[in-house]
Amino acid sequence: MADTATTAPVAAASAASASSDAPPFQLGKPRFQQTSFYGRFRHFLDIIDPRTLFVTERRLREAVQLLEDYKHGTLRPGVTNEQLWSAQKIKQAILHPDTNEKIFMPFRMSGYIPFGTPIVVGLLLPNQTLASTIFWQWLNQSHNACVNYANRNATKPSPASKFIQGYLGAVISAVSIAVGLNVLVQKANKFTPATRLLIQRFVPFPAVASANICNVVLMRYGELEEGIDVLDSDGNLVGSSKIAARHDGSPAGAPPAAPPRAKPCVPGSLRPGPAAGHQPLPADVRD
């Protein structure tokens, strides 16, 4: 007799009606192919879609229940692939993948554009004073730190001291670089006033980029040092891996519009699935 855990997703996939504009649904997988730039671009747009901010509590419960029905092979007749993809998008946009708790709206990936855009505008305001430079750099890194913490990998408890270290490191580096570059530009006698003004408008970019690197590294240092939990295809804990933590981390220095987002406990390339078959776990996984 076929294993129930293996046949349930297959039966659920068969129960889902084919949709003309949606690919076959795969639980936990991206809707768009990640092997091309266009596919990754569409996936990114899906993640930051601000429309998910307006999803009601009832719609969220329905989306979660629909995915549970799919997982256990109990989908009602007539459910389409489009509905399943939409349900997964809603769940991933609102609920933390490890704690299954709702992420505070301003710190969701889908909320980064509406809540982060005013800060970016403030960073690029012309003729900034020392006080305004410090304020906008502080506000930007405070927002980034909260986004990083809210979307962290939470398979292991992280002390508050790690968050404070990342926050202080990001703020200090951002303010120091921004103020330092502004002072250097102002003291550069070789530049004309027009050139000096133009250069000053680009100062926020290296300041923010450097601070984001510091923010990401410090905020996720515990994961890289201790590793993250690794699950098998049935969701059972099989060990802890530093290699998986390195794969799970987003590139340091990501732009403000693309903060790191906690993924499932192990990257997709290491998580075996019913369709792909079991794949080797990281070499450093320990029981």
Side-chain angles (χ1 to χ4, degrees):
M1 180 180 292
D3 184 73
T4 304
T6 304
T7 57
V10 177
S14 300
S17 300
S19 177
S20 58
D21 58 350
F25 179 72
Q26 291 182 289
L27 186 64
K29 302 292 184 181
R31 173 173 179 169
F32 306 103
Q33 288 293 332
Q34 300 299 286
T35 55
S36 67
F37 171 80
Y38 183 61
R40 293 190 296 271
F41 177 69
R42 295 186 67 185
H43 175 64
F44 182 77
L45 291 180
D46 236 11
I47 291 175
I48 64 173
D49 186 353
R51 290 176 298 178
T52 57
L53 295 173
F54 304 101
V55 171
T56 63
E57 188 70 28
R58 178 182 177 181
R59 180 70 183 94
L60 175 61
R61 289 197 301 267
E62 291 174 350
V64 173
Q65 186 58 52
L66 192 63
L67 294 176
E68 286 296 314
D69 291 344
Y70 173 87
K71 183 178 179 180
H72 296 98
T74 57
L75 274 180
R76 63 182 184 274
V79 176
T80 64
N81 288 311
E82 182 65 40
Q83 289 175 305
L84 290 168
W85 284 119
S86 178
Q88 179 166 272
K89 175 180 176 178
I90 290 172
K91 181 182 178 181
Q92 291 180 342
I94 299 176
L95 301 180
H96 191 285
D98 297 329
T99 65
N100 214 34
E101 296 177 354
K102 293 179 68 173
I103 300 173
F104 187 44
M105 189 179 293
F107 307 144
R108 297 175 191 170
M109 293 294 289
S110 56
Y112 210 84
I113 291 179
F115 292 101
T117 298
I119 299 176
V120 174
V121 172
L123 287 168
L124 300 177
L125 289 175
N127 304 321
Q128 297 225 26
T129 63
L130 178 63
S132 65
T133 299
I134 293 175
F135 171 76
W136 287 112
Q137 291 291 343
W138 164 79
L139 185 60
N140 179 59
Q141 292 308 319
S142 297
H143 184 226
N144 283 351
C146 290
V147 171
N148 289 339
Y149 183 79
N151 293 278
R152 73 196 183 283
N153 188 299
T155 56
K156 290 186 177 181
S158 179
S161 60
K162 295 290 185 181
F163 171 75
I164 296 174
Q165 283 180 347
Y167 173 71
L168 292 178
V171 171
I172 292 173
S173 61
V175 172
S176 300
I177 294 171
V179 172
L181 289 177
N182 274 325
V183 171
L184 288 175
V185 171
Q186 290 174 359
K187 290 185 176 181
N189 298 324
K190 295 182 180 180
F191 297 142
T192 64
T195 303
R196 188 180 295 113
L197 180 60
L198 180 63
I199 295 176
Q200 282 181 320
R201 291 187 177 181
F202 285 95
V203 164
F205 291 101
V208 170
S210 302
N212 281 357
I213 293 174
C214 180
N215 198 322
V216 172
V217 171
L218 290 176
M219 291 290 291
R220 309 200 72 173
Y221 180 74
E223 300 173 24
L224 299 174
E225 185 180 37
E226 301 175 9
I228 60 175
D229 291 345
V230 177
L231 309 179
D232 62 16
S233 59
D234 298 321
N236 301 314
L237 178 64
V238 296
S240 180
S241 171
K242 295 181 181 181
I243 296 176
R246 289 199 296 271
H247 282 277
D248 193 43
S250 298
R261 169 64 188 262
K263 303 175 185 177
C265 302
V266 64
S269 60
L270 301 177
R271 180 189 295 276
H278 290 278
Q279 301 176 17
L281 292 169
D284 67 332
V285 170
R286 57 183 182 276
D287 293 328

